[in-house]
Amino acid sequence: MRIGIGYDSHRIEPGGTMLLGGVAIEHGRHFVGHSDADVLLHAITDALLSAAGLPDIGQLFPNDMPENRGRDSAEMLSLAMANVRQSGWDLVNLDCVVLLEHPKISPIKSQVLARIAAVLEVPESLVNLKGKTGEGVGEVGRGELAVAHCVALLTRV
Ligand code: MG
């Protein structure tokens, strides 16, 4: 077995649609980034690639390439998972933490888990997600930043 850790953060700005775990949240704010800025999917992508010993998300999808501007992170995750499987690994489980002041994760958790499982083509039982706030302190607490951590465990097929 092999374990990998993924981390990402994106700035939050007013307007637009927030994309978290491949789910669109109409919250009057959005994550800012070169791709669609889905902070959770980016952390998951890096955890999976890292566990398999593959190049990371920035190497696979460089942000100076025009085709990656506004790119669908679910598509990037799906491609990364295909690389992981081609390298002879399969997913044991994923554990994720999102640090986000607003909105709360719990009301959208089941929707996000279902979406991640669908993108990865794995049962939902392999994916876990927890939401935390910044307790009103720091960049997360002021609603300026979203952070995601993910740990992935893989097993040799
Ligand atoms: Mg990112």
Side-chain angles (χ1 to χ4, degrees):
M1 294 221 214
R2 284 180 62 122
I3 195 167
I5 187 167
Y7 168 89
D8 197 26
S9 63
H10 280 271
R11 207 168 70 246
I12 299 169
E13 285 193 355
T17 298
M18 194 175 269
L19 267 178
L20 186 74
V23 173
I25 305 163
E26 297 303 337
H27 180 61
R29 292 170 223 199
H30 68 286
F31 301 145
V32 179
H34 186 269
S35 67
D36 68 11
D38 192 321
V39 68
L40 176 56
L41 294 192
H42 293 179
I44 293 172
T45 301
D46 257 350
L48 290 165
L49 291 169
S50 187
L54 294 168
D56 69 20
I57 189 170
Q59 292 170 279
L60 263 187
F61 309 102
N63 66 7
D64 56 0
M65 294 180 77
E67 65 262 37
N68 294 330
R69 172 158 288 285
R71 191 159 181 177
D72 177 1
S73 296
E75 185 209 343
M76 293 195 279
L77 176 57
S78 179
L79 288 168
M81 190 62 200
N83 286 0
V84 168
R85 288 197 171 101
Q86 268 166 20
S87 304
W89 298 97
D90 207 357
L91 182 65
V92 176
N93 74 309
L94 281 179
D95 193 15
C96 310
V97 185
V98 170
L99 284 73
L100 183 65
E101 201 68 10
H102 305 287
K104 291 277 190 259
I105 299 295
S106 51
I108 57 166
K109 188 190 276 195
S110 60
Q111 213 185 335
V112 171
L113 290 177
R115 177 72 176 130
I116 293 166
V119 172
L120 294 173
E121 299 179 50
V122 300
E124 273 181 55
S125 60
L126 304 195
V127 187
N128 198 54
L129 173 65
K130 297 170 292 296
K132 310 292 285 184
T133 71
E135 296 282 332
V137 176
E139 297 102 330
V140 172
R142 289 191 298 269
E144 297 167 4
L145 193 74
V147 174
H149 299 265
C150 178
V151 172
L153 189 65
L154 303 179
T155 186
R156 261 288 174 215
V157 176

